[in-house]
Amino acid sequence: MWEPRTTAATDAVAAVLGRSRTLLLAALDTPASTTQLATHSGLSAAGVSQHLTALRNAGLVTSHRSGRSVLYARTSVADQLLNP
C-alpha cells in the first residue's frame, strides 16, 4: 500500500516539487491523515503538515474532516501529474 512509485513521471514531478512533496502525493492513493503520512514518510508531523498546506494551496490535495482526523487526498490534477 505504501510502495513508492519509481516511474519517470514521478522523478520529473520530484524535480519540480521536491522529493518529500512527491513522496506525500504518491502515498495518497487513499486518503490519509498527517500522522499516517508522517509515519510512512519518516518526516515529522509538522513537516508533513507544512508540505500538505503547500500542496493544498497549489490545488494538488484536498482535505476533509472525518471524526477527529483530517484526511488528505490527491486531486485529479495531482493524479495527472503522477500518471500522465
Side-chain angles (χ1 to χ4, degrees):
M1 176 172 141
W2 295 100
E3 298 286 324
R5 297 168 193 248
T6 57
T7 65
T10 305
D11 292 341
V13 172
V16 175
L17 296 180
R19 188 190 69 77
S20 295
R21 288 182 181 162
T22 303
L23 174 67
L24 294 173
L25 278 181
L28 287 172
D29 283 334
T30 58
S33 69
T34 302
T35 303
Q36 290 169 319
L37 291 167
T39 299
H40 165 67
S41 67
L43 300 170
S44 69
V48 169
S49 181
Q50 289 177 343
H51 288 306
L52 289 172
T53 297
L55 292 169
R56 188 178 60 235
N57 290 342
L60 298 175
V61 298
T62 60
S63 61
H64 68 278
R65 185 162 290 282
S66 177
R68 299 178 114 183
S69 297
V70 175
L71 298 179
Y72 293 86
R74 279 194 314 247
T75 64
S76 61
V77 173
D79 283 337
Q80 290 175 356
L81 285 173
L82 294 175
N83 304 302

